[in-house]
Short mmCIF file of all heavy atoms in Angstrom, two decimals:
data_model
loop_
_atom_site.label_atom_id
_atom_site.label_comp_id
_atom_site.label_asym_id
_atom_site.label_seq_id
_atom_site.Cartn_x
_atom_site.Cartn_y
_atom_site.Cartn_z
N LEU A 510 -139.95 -63.63 23.38
CA LEU A 510 -140.89 -63.77 24.47
C LEU A 510 -140.22 -63.24 25.74
O LEU A 510 -139.02 -63.46 25.96
CB LEU A 510 -141.29 -65.23 24.66
CG LEU A 510 -142.09 -65.85 23.52
CD1 LEU A 510 -142.38 -67.32 23.81
CD2 LEU A 510 -143.40 -65.10 23.29
N PRO A 511 -140.96 -62.53 26.58
CA PRO A 511 -140.34 -61.93 27.77
C PRO A 511 -139.60 -62.92 28.66
O PRO A 511 -138.59 -62.57 29.28
CB PRO A 511 -141.54 -61.30 28.50
CG PRO A 511 -142.53 -61.03 27.43
CD PRO A 511 -142.38 -62.15 26.45
N ALA A 512 -140.08 -64.16 28.73
CA ALA A 512 -139.46 -65.14 29.63
C ALA A 512 -138.26 -65.85 28.99
O ALA A 512 -137.57 -66.61 29.67
CB ALA A 512 -140.50 -66.18 30.06
N HIS A 513 -138.02 -65.60 27.71
CA HIS A 513 -136.94 -66.34 27.04
C HIS A 513 -135.57 -65.85 27.49
O HIS A 513 -135.29 -64.65 27.50
CB HIS A 513 -137.04 -66.17 25.52
CG HIS A 513 -135.89 -66.80 24.77
ND1 HIS A 513 -135.70 -68.16 24.73
CD2 HIS A 513 -134.88 -66.25 24.05
CE1 HIS A 513 -134.62 -68.44 24.00
NE2 HIS A 513 -134.11 -67.29 23.60
N GLU A 514 -134.72 -66.79 27.88
CA GLU A 514 -133.34 -66.50 28.23
C GLU A 514 -132.45 -67.51 27.53
O GLU A 514 -132.79 -68.70 27.46
CB GLU A 514 -133.12 -66.60 29.75
CG GLU A 514 -133.84 -65.54 30.55
CD GLU A 514 -133.56 -65.68 32.04
OE1 GLU A 514 -132.71 -66.52 32.41
OE2 GLU A 514 -134.21 -64.97 32.84
N VAL A 515 -131.34 -67.04 27.02
CA VAL A 515 -130.37 -67.94 26.38
C VAL A 515 -129.60 -68.65 27.49
O VAL A 515 -128.97 -67.99 28.34
CB VAL A 515 -129.41 -67.16 25.46
CG1 VAL A 515 -128.32 -68.08 24.93
CG2 VAL A 515 -130.19 -66.53 24.32
N LYS A 516 -129.67 -69.96 27.50
CA LYS A 516 -128.98 -70.76 28.52
C LYS A 516 -128.13 -71.82 27.84
O LYS A 516 -128.64 -72.58 27.00
CB LYS A 516 -129.98 -71.41 29.47
CG LYS A 516 -130.76 -70.43 30.33
CD LYS A 516 -131.71 -71.15 31.27
CE LYS A 516 -132.48 -70.16 32.14
NZ LYS A 516 -133.44 -70.86 33.05
N LEU A 517 -126.87 -71.87 28.20
CA LEU A 517 -125.98 -72.91 27.68
C LEU A 517 -126.21 -74.21 28.42
O LEU A 517 -126.45 -74.22 29.64
CB LEU A 517 -124.52 -72.49 27.83
CG LEU A 517 -124.09 -71.22 27.08
CD1 LEU A 517 -122.63 -70.92 27.37
CD2 LEU A 517 -124.31 -71.37 25.58
N THR A 518 -126.15 -75.32 27.69
CA THR A 518 -126.20 -76.62 28.34
C THR A 518 -124.89 -76.83 29.11
O THR A 518 -123.89 -76.12 28.87
CB THR A 518 -126.37 -77.74 27.30
OG1 THR A 518 -125.19 -77.79 26.49
CG2 THR A 518 -127.59 -77.48 26.41
N PRO A 519 -124.84 -77.79 30.03
CA PRO A 519 -123.59 -78.05 30.74
C PRO A 519 -122.41 -78.32 29.80
O PRO A 519 -121.30 -77.83 30.05
CB PRO A 519 -123.93 -79.29 31.58
CG PRO A 519 -125.40 -79.15 31.85
CD PRO A 519 -125.96 -78.58 30.59
N ASP A 520 -122.65 -79.06 28.71
CA ASP A 520 -121.56 -79.33 27.76
C ASP A 520 -121.13 -78.05 27.06
O ASP A 520 -119.92 -77.81 26.84
CB ASP A 520 -122.00 -80.37 26.73
CG ASP A 520 -122.09 -81.77 27.33
OD1 ASP A 520 -121.53 -81.98 28.42
OD2 ASP A 520 -122.72 -82.64 26.69
N GLN A 521 -122.11 -77.22 26.69
CA GLN A 521 -121.77 -75.96 26.02
C GLN A 521 -121.03 -75.01 26.96
O GLN A 521 -120.09 -74.33 26.56
CB GLN A 521 -123.05 -75.30 25.49
CG GLN A 521 -123.67 -76.04 24.33
CD GLN A 521 -125.07 -75.55 24.01
OE1 GLN A 521 -125.75 -74.98 24.87
NE2 GLN A 521 -125.52 -75.75 22.78
N GLN A 522 -121.45 -74.98 28.24
CA GLN A 522 -120.75 -74.14 29.21
C GLN A 522 -119.33 -74.62 29.42
O GLN A 522 -118.39 -73.81 29.57
CB GLN A 522 -121.51 -74.14 30.54
CG GLN A 522 -120.94 -73.16 31.57
CD GLN A 522 -120.99 -71.73 31.09
OE1 GLN A 522 -122.05 -71.23 30.72
NE2 GLN A 522 -119.84 -71.05 31.08
N ALA A 523 -119.12 -75.95 29.41
CA ALA A 523 -117.77 -76.50 29.54
C ALA A 523 -116.90 -76.08 28.35
O ALA A 523 -115.72 -75.74 28.52
CB ALA A 523 -117.84 -78.02 29.65
N SER A 524 -117.49 -76.07 27.14
CA SER A 524 -116.75 -75.62 25.95
C SER A 524 -116.37 -74.15 26.09
O SER A 524 -115.26 -73.74 25.74
CB SER A 524 -117.58 -75.83 24.69
OG SER A 524 -117.84 -77.21 24.48
N ALA A 525 -117.31 -73.34 26.59
CA ALA A 525 -117.03 -71.91 26.79
C ALA A 525 -115.92 -71.71 27.81
O ALA A 525 -115.03 -70.87 27.62
CB ALA A 525 -118.31 -71.20 27.24
N ASP A 526 -115.96 -72.49 28.89
CA ASP A 526 -114.92 -72.36 29.93
C ASP A 526 -113.55 -72.72 29.38
O ASP A 526 -112.54 -72.07 29.72
CB ASP A 526 -115.27 -73.24 31.12
CG ASP A 526 -116.50 -72.73 31.88
OD1 ASP A 526 -116.84 -71.53 31.72
OD2 ASP A 526 -117.13 -73.53 32.61
N ARG A 527 -113.50 -73.75 28.53
CA ARG A 527 -112.22 -74.13 27.94
C ARG A 527 -111.70 -73.02 27.03
O ARG A 527 -110.49 -72.73 26.98
CB ARG A 527 -112.36 -75.44 27.15
CG ARG A 527 -112.49 -76.68 28.03
CD ARG A 527 -112.32 -77.97 27.24
NE ARG A 527 -113.40 -78.15 26.28
CZ ARG A 527 -114.54 -78.80 26.56
NH1 ARG A 527 -114.74 -79.30 27.77
NH2 ARG A 527 -115.46 -78.95 25.63
N LEU A 528 -112.63 -72.38 26.31
CA LEU A 528 -112.23 -71.28 25.44
C LEU A 528 -111.71 -70.10 26.26
O LEU A 528 -110.69 -69.47 25.91
CB LEU A 528 -113.42 -70.84 24.57
CG LEU A 528 -113.13 -69.78 23.51
CD1 LEU A 528 -112.11 -70.28 22.50
CD2 LEU A 528 -114.43 -69.38 22.79
N PHE A 529 -112.38 -69.80 27.39
CA PHE A 529 -111.90 -68.73 28.26
C PHE A 529 -110.48 -69.02 28.77
O PHE A 529 -109.65 -68.11 28.87
CB PHE A 529 -112.84 -68.56 29.46
CG PHE A 529 -114.21 -68.03 29.11
CD1 PHE A 529 -115.32 -68.32 29.91
CD2 PHE A 529 -114.40 -67.23 27.99
CE1 PHE A 529 -116.57 -67.84 29.60
CE2 PHE A 529 -115.65 -66.73 27.68
CZ PHE A 529 -116.75 -67.04 28.47
N THR A 530 -110.21 -70.29 29.08
CA THR A 530 -108.88 -70.67 29.57
C THR A 530 -107.82 -70.38 28.52
O THR A 530 -106.73 -69.85 28.82
CB THR A 530 -108.86 -72.17 29.93
OG1 THR A 530 -109.82 -72.40 30.97
CG2 THR A 530 -107.48 -72.60 30.42
N VAL A 531 -108.14 -70.71 27.25
CA VAL A 531 -107.19 -70.45 26.17
C VAL A 531 -106.96 -68.95 26.02
O VAL A 531 -105.81 -68.49 25.85
CB VAL A 531 -107.71 -71.06 24.85
CG1 VAL A 531 -106.84 -70.62 23.67
CG2 VAL A 531 -107.76 -72.57 24.94
N PHE A 532 -108.04 -68.15 26.10
CA PHE A 532 -107.90 -66.69 25.97
C PHE A 532 -107.08 -66.11 27.13
O PHE A 532 -106.29 -65.18 26.92
CB PHE A 532 -109.29 -66.05 25.93
CG PHE A 532 -109.87 -65.90 24.55
CD1 PHE A 532 -110.25 -67.01 23.81
CD2 PHE A 532 -110.01 -64.65 23.98
CE1 PHE A 532 -110.77 -66.88 22.54
CE2 PHE A 532 -110.53 -64.50 22.71
CZ PHE A 532 -110.91 -65.62 21.97
N ARG A 533 -107.26 -66.63 28.35
CA ARG A 533 -106.54 -66.09 29.49
C ARG A 533 -105.06 -66.50 29.48
O ARG A 533 -104.22 -65.81 30.04
CB ARG A 533 -107.21 -66.56 30.79
CG ARG A 533 -108.57 -65.92 31.03
CD ARG A 533 -109.11 -66.20 32.42
NE ARG A 533 -110.42 -65.57 32.59
CZ ARG A 533 -111.58 -66.20 32.56
NH1 ARG A 533 -111.59 -67.53 32.37
NH2 ARG A 533 -112.70 -65.54 32.72
N ARG A 534 -104.77 -67.65 28.85
CA ARG A 534 -103.39 -68.14 28.80
C ARG A 534 -102.50 -67.15 28.05
O ARG A 534 -101.33 -66.93 28.42
CB ARG A 534 -103.35 -69.52 28.14
CG ARG A 534 -101.98 -70.21 28.20
CD ARG A 534 -102.06 -71.57 27.50
NE ARG A 534 -103.05 -72.42 28.17
CZ ARG A 534 -103.84 -73.27 27.54
NH1 ARG A 534 -103.79 -73.35 26.21
NH2 ARG A 534 -104.68 -74.01 28.21
N ASP A 535 -103.00 -66.57 26.99
CA ASP A 535 -102.23 -65.58 26.21
C ASP A 535 -103.21 -64.49 25.79
O ASP A 535 -103.68 -64.47 24.64
CB ASP A 535 -101.59 -66.26 25.00
CG ASP A 535 -100.53 -65.39 24.34
OD1 ASP A 535 -100.39 -64.22 24.75
OD2 ASP A 535 -99.85 -65.89 23.42
N PRO A 536 -103.57 -63.57 26.72
CA PRO A 536 -104.71 -62.66 26.50
C PRO A 536 -104.55 -61.71 25.33
O PRO A 536 -105.56 -61.20 24.82
CB PRO A 536 -104.81 -61.90 27.82
CG PRO A 536 -103.49 -62.04 28.46
CD PRO A 536 -102.94 -63.36 28.03
N TYR A 537 -103.30 -61.45 24.88
CA TYR A 537 -103.11 -60.49 23.79
C TYR A 537 -102.81 -61.18 22.46
O TYR A 537 -102.65 -60.52 21.44
CB TYR A 537 -101.97 -59.52 24.13
CG TYR A 537 -102.27 -58.73 25.39
CD1 TYR A 537 -101.61 -59.03 26.58
CD2 TYR A 537 -103.22 -57.73 25.38
CE1 TYR A 537 -101.90 -58.33 27.74
CE2 TYR A 537 -103.52 -57.02 26.54
CZ TYR A 537 -102.86 -57.33 27.72
OH TYR A 537 -103.13 -56.63 28.87
#
Side-chain angles (χ1 to χ4, degrees):
L510 294 178
H513 175 67
E514 293 181 7
V515 174
K516 294 181 180 179
L517 298 178
T518 66
D520 287 344
Q521 290 168 337
Q522 186 61 54
S524 297
D526 292 340
R527 286 193 294 270
L528 185 61
F529 292 153
T530 299
V531 172
F532 269 69
R533 290 190 180 104
R534 188 180 300 144
D535 193 353
Y537 300 106

